[in-house]
Amino acid sequence: MNIILLGPPGAGKGTQAQRLVEKLGMRQLSTGDMLRAAVKAGTPTGLAAKAVMERGELVSDEIVSALIGDELDAMGIESGAIFDGYPRTEAQAVSLEAILEERGRKLDHVIELDVNENALVDRVTGRFTCATCGAGYHDKYQQPRVPGTCDKCGGTEFKRRPDDNAETVRTRMAEYRAKTAPILPFYEARGIVSKVDGMADMNHVTAAIEDILAS
Ligand code: AP5
């Protein structure tokens, strides 16, 4: 099964993708994570992407579509894919069609996380992750069980993203409204879009997504 999680910054795409990976053994393909890894490694892609990401704007369609194609090739056909943060433009949606077809895959579901944008700045600016294993946490909504210690790996170092400040989040939201939300009709016309209340408790969101995938 191949699915897209769609929603603005802070909608819960990464949170829900991680849960589906754990529960269903699918693979998370997050272009944001891939780009951050490229920035950290100082690759040509990372050098091209760094300033764009810090401004909250979109990296070029060619770069992200190439990353997705490479990742699908590396993971093999047997695992289902969760596209998290991709596609984000009409050009990327068109590329994804070709990328999947070339690899004998098809898209089964597009799950739109329906959220109140006013609550998202708080979600994004309060977010932090374990520096060792990448597990996600939040100052208010998802603290580690033992303060200062990662629930999953016991790590004690945490980090925050440089683009998780209020000003950049607003630019990212504007980019979502202008370039990403308009791709929904492309998938609605194929009858594969389901809307989930992304403002519900995280467990309820997961259950709603699992119901859709089981349908
Ligand atoms: P990316 O990394 O994809 O960031 P994003 O889309 O802005 O999404 P986020 O990671 O901020 O949000 P999320 O929906 O995953 O929320 P999360 O689950 O963490 O992209 C970063 C940048 O890379 C872009 O700005 C762009 O420059 C570039 N880029 C990436 N992909 C690209 C592409 N395809 N094309 C071009 N450029 C691209 O949740 C947020 C917080 O809320 C967490 O702390 C979580 O604990 C909490 N939370 C989650 N769900 C709930 C809930 N139900 N209730 C309460 N709290 C919740």
Side-chain angles (χ1 to χ4, degrees):
M1 189 174 288
N2 301 289
I3 68 169
I4 294 173
L5 294 181
L6 202 69
K13 305 179 295 292
T15 301
Q16 296 302 327
Q18 282 188 6
R19 288 169 170 228
L20 296 177
V21 167
E22 281 165 22
K23 289 187 162 204
L24 306 177
M26 298 174 78
R27 287 283 296 269
Q28 175 185 12
L29 280 77
S30 159
T31 39
D33 287 349
M34 293 173 205
L35 290 167
R36 280 183 287 280
V39 169
K40 194 171 171 197
T43 65
T45 294
L47 293 175
K50 186 171 186 287
V52 180
M53 293 173 78
E54 283 172 1
R55 288 196 301 272
E57 295 166 7
L58 294 185
V59 174
S60 84
D61 294 329
E62 293 72 22
I63 286 181
V64 290
S65 292
L67 288 172
I68 285 287
D70 290 348
E71 199 73 16
L72 280 172
D73 288 339
M75 73 187 235
I77 191 74
E78 59 285 347
S79 303
I82 307 164
F83 297 101
D84 160 11
Y86 179 92
R88 258 175 153 100
T89 63
E90 197 182 317
Q92 291 178 27
V94 171
S95 293
L96 180 60
E97 294 295 292
I99 288 170
L100 290 174
E101 198 181 323
E102 282 162 12
R103 290 160 181 82
R105 290 177 179 265
K106 77 170 184 50
L107 201 54
D108 298 284
H109 295 280
V110 176
I111 298 176
E112 182 193 2
L113 296 170
D114 187 26
V115 284
N116 169 0
E117 278 199 11
N118 295 328
L120 298 187
V121 174
D122 182 39
R123 273 199 194 176
V124 173
T125 54
R127 166 173 61 186
F128 61 99
T129 54
C130 171
T132 309
C133 74
Y137 297 99
H138 192 277
D139 292 329
K140 285 190 205 159
Y141 308 121
Q142 199 186 6
Q143 279 280 358
R145 282 191 292 275
V146 177
T149 304
C150 176
D151 297 345
K152 291 204 173 128
C153 74
T156 53
E157 300 283 324
F158 294 89
K159 58 181 183 180
R160 291 177 192 262
R161 278 169 43 179
D163 59 344
D164 277 353
N165 57 77
E167 191 189 337
T168 307
V169 172
R170 290 207 172 84
T171 305
R172 284 157 57 196
M173 280 177 188
E175 290 280 77
Y176 179 82
R177 277 194 299 270
K179 297 174 185 163
T180 308
I183 68 178
L184 265 167
F186 176 79
Y187 294 116
E188 277 163 351
R190 289 167 43 186
I192 56 170
V193 177
S194 303
K195 199 182 266 203
V196 166
D197 177 11
M199 297 312 293
D201 170 87
M202 284 180 212
N203 293 333
H204 285 102
V205 179
T206 309
I209 295 174
E210 286 181 302
D211 282 350
I212 293 163
L213 302 191
S215 65

